[in-house]
Amino acid sequence: MNKLRPLDPIDFAPADLVTAPVSATNPATMRAEVADALVALFEAARAEAALELQSQSAYRSYQTQRTIYANGVAANGVDFTDRFSARPGHSEHQTGLAVDIGVPSGECSFDACFGELPAGQWLAENAHRFGFLLRYPDGAQPIVGFDYEPWHFRYIGVELAAEMRAHGIATLEEFFGLPPAPDYAD
Ligand SMILES: [Zn+2]
């Protein structure tokens, strides 16, 4: 899904939401398979690189996203908000497949500088092993619709993540031959 491919129905909610048993600032709610993969990802970061990771935002309902988006528009206007926050029905967080990851100190939380931290660099190199995709890579805004978000990971499964990696393809739009989605249709 992206700015041209909303959820159907627009207020879709997954049926198998659970709370992942990981460090989290907000409830680490996500689909069950994603929670298992996230636990494995965080354990590997600790075991292989002595890095502590934290879930900072996961499942967000249609209603929650509507509130976030409306607040963003009120504070910053539509054009600015659309660069950083999805409209309700268009957020990957509504699928229960997306997780925003940070470090417990809060350093570079939801900031592009997260990509420079050891945690951000380890995730960029290793998340695919656990089925996670860095969904909004640096420089891909004309394709994916959002500025660089080194903290936002979308679960796509280990097989697909490995295949994309093997082919050196960074975005779902390119891998599946979908049209670029730099902005909403309306
Ligand atoms: Zn996110």
Side-chain angles (χ1 to χ4, degrees):
M1 65 178 304
N2 56 38
K3 286 180 172 176
L4 294 177
R5 302 170 68 85
L7 282 164
D8 182 18
I10 198 90
D11 60 351
F12 166 84
D16 60 343
L17 293 172
V18 301
T19 301
V22 296
S23 170
T25 50
N26 288 302
T29 309
M30 60 198 74
R31 296 190 63 178
E33 185 178 341
V34 186
D36 290 344
L38 193 72
V39 167
L41 175 72
F42 282 19
E43 283 178 354
R46 187 177 302 125
E48 297 173 14
L51 291 168
E52 293 296 327
L53 302 176
Q54 189 171 59
S55 168
Q56 301 197 319
S57 187
Y59 172 68
R60 298 199 290 259
S61 71
Y62 177 81
Q63 288 299 338
T64 298
Q65 191 69 23
R66 201 161 80 161
T67 302
I68 289 172
Y69 183 78
N71 289 344
V73 170
N76 303 302
V78 172
D79 289 345
F80 184 88
T81 300
D82 277 344
R83 283 172 54 203
F84 297 100
S85 183
R87 297 181 185 180
H90 295 75
S91 170
E92 288 196 337
H93 287 277
Q94 195 181 322
T95 66
L97 300 172
V99 188
D100 295 326
I101 300 175
V103 290
S105 69
E107 186 179 5
C108 292
S109 189
F110 299 101
D111 193 298
C113 69
F114 182 69
E116 308 297 322
L117 297 185
Q121 295 189 341
W122 188 88
L123 283 166
E125 283 305 310
N126 293 280
H128 70 281
R129 293 164 45 205
F130 303 88
F132 288 94
L133 175 71
L134 198 167
R135 184 67 176 94
Y136 306 123
D138 198 3
Q141 193 280 336
I143 299 169
V144 300
F146 291 95
D147 286 359
Y148 179 42
E149 292 193 0
W151 61 88
H152 178 104
F153 288 85
R154 150 85 184 268
Y155 182 75
I156 60 173
V158 171
E159 275 183 38
L160 176 55
E163 207 176 329
M164 288 179 68
R165 190 89 177 178
H167 287 86
I169 296 176
T171 71
L172 293 172
E173 285 78 3
E174 291 165 293
F175 188 83
F176 289 112
L178 300 169
D183 213 338
Y184 298 101
D186 57 6

